[in-house]
């Protein structure tokens, strides 16, 4: 990956495992200082340990993205630690639905929207404020292919990921002339611990996942991380407001 400058700082939420950890590790390999954040302290510290073991620089700041005071403290912590924030990847999210829309509960709706929508909004709110003050930056929000179409038996989750794209595009237009670029990445099924647990519970899910991707396999966390780094780099300097599928061709149907 090219067009990164020395001393730059990246923040990744939901970085205790899976896609978030892969993104944090990818930034570190490019020489970025990384702020790792999650509600899972052990997992987050584990990500930091991996970065440091490879010779990178990182620190962990615990944050519940649904709480304004904690998000504010997270972004302030980036500034206090490293003096700036060049890249922010809002990856923290949850997926807890197991039935059709009419079978959903109010508690499921509130929980999903709080993390996936309010959490992204709060993070962007504070990240943008710092980036404006320092003269610019790049933000990538992690949405989903569920934000680009339908997701049967995951209607609330789909709505939340559609909302992430709406936030992304609106903010990209609002701040485009202020040197703050804002994009989204929309992964399909990715090989994470969450997917493996689901596949063990219902082996049919693994087979279905293969069938919906024209490339004949599910994605890798490193492939999502590569898309994020591209959108953050100067190679994507003319790219903002985009919802980029990383989906093995799923949305080509």
């Amino acid at each position: 990956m090219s067009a990164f400058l020395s001393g730059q700082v990246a923040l990744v939420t939901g970085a205790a495992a899976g896609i978030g950890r892969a993104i944090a590790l990818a930034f570190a390999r490019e020489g970025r200082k990384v702020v790792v954040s999650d509600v899972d302290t052990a997992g987050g510290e584990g990500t930091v340990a991996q970065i440091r073991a490879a010779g990178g620089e990182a620190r962990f700041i615990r944050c519940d993205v649904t709480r304004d005071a904690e998000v504010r403290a997270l972004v302030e912590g980036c500034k206090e630690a490293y003096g700036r924030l060049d890249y922010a990847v809002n990856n923290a999210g949850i997926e807890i639905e197991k039935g059709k829309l009419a079978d959903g509960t109010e508690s499921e709706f509130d929980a999903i929207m709080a993390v996936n929508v309010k959490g992204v909004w709060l993070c962007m709110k504070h990240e943008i404020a710092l980036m404006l003050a320092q003269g610019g930056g790049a933000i990538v929000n992690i949405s989903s292919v569920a934000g680009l179409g339908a997701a049967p038996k995951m209607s609330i989750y789909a709505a939340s990921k559609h909302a992430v794209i709406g936030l992304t595009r609106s903010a990209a237009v609002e701040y485009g002339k202020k040197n703050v670029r804002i994009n989204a990445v929309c992964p399909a099924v990715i090989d994470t611990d969450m997917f493996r647990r689901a596949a063990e519970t219902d082996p049919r899910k693994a087979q279905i996942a293969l069938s919906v991707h024209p490339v004949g396999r599910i994605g890798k966390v490193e492939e999502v991380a590569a898309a994020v780094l591209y959108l953050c780099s100067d190679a994507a300097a003319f790219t903002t407001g985009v919802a980029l599928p990383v989906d093995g061709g799923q949305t080509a149907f």
Side-chain angles (χ1 to χ4, degrees):
M1 190 65 61
S2 62
F4 284 105
L5 302 176
S6 62
Q8 291 179 325
V9 180
L11 164 65
V12 185
T13 69
I19 291 172
R21 173 173 282 180
I23 293 168
L25 292 171
F27 271 120
R29 283 193 295 271
E30 291 294 330
R32 304 315 98 214
K33 300 171 183 176
V34 185
V35 175
V36 172
S37 185
D38 206 293
V39 292
D40 177 358
T41 299
E45 293 286 10
T47 300
V48 169
Q50 288 188 30
I51 291 172
R52 291 176 176 170
E57 183 172 348
R59 66 178 58 201
F60 174 74
I61 300 177
R62 188 188 185 281
C63 178
D64 178 347
V65 297
T66 69
R67 297 182 179 275
D68 180 74
E70 293 192 26
V71 176
R72 185 191 305 272
L74 170 62
V75 175
E76 289 176 350
C78 294
K79 184 177 180 181
E80 290 171 4
Y82 298 122
R84 59 186 298 107
L85 177 61
D86 298 285
Y87 313 111
V89 183
N90 299 316
N91 169 71
I94 60 172
E95 177 186 325
I96 60 175
E97 280 177 280
K98 296 181 178 169
K100 295 180 180 180
L101 187 145
D103 299 319
T105 66
E106 185 176 8
S107 62
E108 286 178 336
F109 184 92
D110 290 345
I112 292 170
M113 290 296 177
V115 178
N116 294 4
V117 183
K118 181 183 177 183
V120 170
W121 173 72
L122 283 173
C123 286
M124 290 174 66
K125 173 182 172 69
H126 293 291
E127 292 157 359
I128 289 169
L130 177 54
M131 289 176 178
L132 290 174
Q134 69 189 21
I139 295 173
V140 176
N141 298 318
I142 305 301
S143 179
S144 167
V145 291
L148 297 171
K153 296 188 178 180
M154 296 176 64
S155 58
I156 305 169
Y157 177 80
S160 74
K161 292 304 186 177
H162 276 269
V164 169
I165 293 173
L167 288 169
T168 299
R169 288 175 170 161
S170 298
V173 172
E174 291 174 351
Y175 298 102
K177 293 181 180 178
K178 299 293 185 180
N179 197 34
V180 177
R181 295 188 301 103
I182 306 168
N183 293 289
V185 167
C186 302
V189 180
I190 304 299
D191 187 8
T192 63
D193 290 341
M194 181 185 296
F195 170 75
R196 292 172 193 171
R197 287 193 297 269
E200 288 175 1
T201 302
D202 184 356
R204 294 176 303 169
K205 288 187 176 181
Q207 190 58 43
I208 291 171
L210 291 175
S211 69
V212 300
H213 302 116
V215 298
R217 64 174 176 86
I218 63 175
K220 302 174 183 177
V221 292
E222 293 82 6
E223 292 168 329
V224 181
V228 169
L229 260 66
Y230 162 70
L231 289 173
C232 286
S233 76
D234 283 349
F238 198 54
T239 302
T240 195
V242 165
L244 176 65
V246 180
D247 66 351
Q250 181 178 344
T251 55
F253 284 109

